[in-house]
Amino acid sequence: GQSLEQPSEVTAVEGAIVQINCTYQTSGFYGLSWYQQHDGGAPTFLSYNALDGLEETGRFSSFLSRSDSYGYLLLQELQMKDSASYFCAGSGSGGYQKVTFGTGTKLQVIP
Amino acid sequence: DTGVSQNPRHKITKRGQNVTFRCDPISEHNRLYWYRQTLGQGPEFLTYFQNEAQLEKSRLLSDRFSAERPKGSFSTLEIQRTEQGDSAMYLCASSPIRGGYSYEQYFGPGTRLTVT
């Protein structure tokens, strides 16, 4: 099975950089995704790591290290609209690709 | 491409009643997932389909829950004999397959179920 742990809350200042970590225990793990969810909204896909290393998409970057069972989401030039919950999600491998979401991190951006 | 749609958006029902939700995925997406989410928690996997085949169902899901995806297009999730613990947001997501894998999921707005 899969379990993914994240810090429950993070606070950061507008314009700064913040890193949200995700550690996982899984069997048959294939890749790690990140999703953003504003209060009352649906999750929105941000990025995906199938390979170790850093993936950059605009202000957001995501990193994966399979050997350490660890990944993170990096948000740069924080804006007030980035205040939301962020979830990592692990994808299974092989013929069955159930997706398991992490515990979620609520990010508060302050002026 | 109009995105993933779900109906109804809100459902209030009395304990013991049956409810059915519908999800219309993005048309070219092969995979369709159902999740349940309660306040402050991440989406909890319920089941997923590849085309019309239901490939996996959560072991946490009781026999009161059933899902179908006839013809590999829209999907329905039915909950029989609802209980107050079923109150949650039910999310549907669809995903394209690239190289045999699903890299990203696109979520619908969800159906909020309240069981009184």
Side-chain angles (χ1 to χ4, degrees), chain B residues 48-106:
Chain B
Y48 91 93
F49 294 83
Q50 180 162 317
N51 300 315
E52 67 276 9
Q54 186 174 18
L55 295 188
E56 191 167 350
K57 183 176 177 180
S58 171
R59 285 171 287 183
L60 301 175
L61 214 58
S62 78
D63 291 341
R64 296 185 297 107
F65 288 72
S66 62
E68 295 182 341
R69 191 184 183 195
K71 303 179 183 179
S73 55
F74 71 92
S75 176
T76 57
L77 176 69
E78 181 182 18
I79 309 174
Q80 296 181 329
R81 305 181 302 282
T82 52
E83 301 172 356
Q84 288 188 324
D86 297 332
S87 295
M89 177 72 83
Y90 289 83
L91 293 164
C92 173
S94 69
S95 178
I97 300 176
R98 308 186 205 281
Y101 291 93
S102 297
Y103 293 99
E104 72 268 26
Q105 299 188 0
Y106 296 85

Side-chain angles (χ1 to χ4, degrees), chain A residues 50-72:
Chain A
L51 302 173
D52 284 2
L54 192 67
E55 292 285 339
E56 298 182 68
T57 310
R59 294 189 298 116
F60 297 166
S61 302
S62 58
F63 173 83
L64 176 64
S65 170
R66 295 172 192 273
S67 59
D68 296 323
S69 298
Y70 165 74
Y72 65 73

Side-chain angles (χ1 to χ4, degrees), chain A residues 3-7 19-25 29 31-34 47-49 51-55 61-74 87-89 105:
Chain A
S3 66
L4 301 97
E5 297 293 325
Q6 302 176 235
Q19 178 174 312
I20 298 173
N21 298 321
C22 174
T23 56
Y24 61 87
Q25 295 181 8
F29 175 78
L32 192 70
S33 305
W34 288 91
S47 70
Y48 180 85
N49 292 77
L51 302 173
D52 284 2
L54 192 67
E55 292 285 339
S61 302
S62 58
F63 173 83
L64 176 64
S65 170
R66 295 172 192 273
S67 59
D68 296 323
S69 298
Y70 165 74
Y72 65 73
L73 179 70
L74 193 72
F87 297 93
C88 58
T105 299

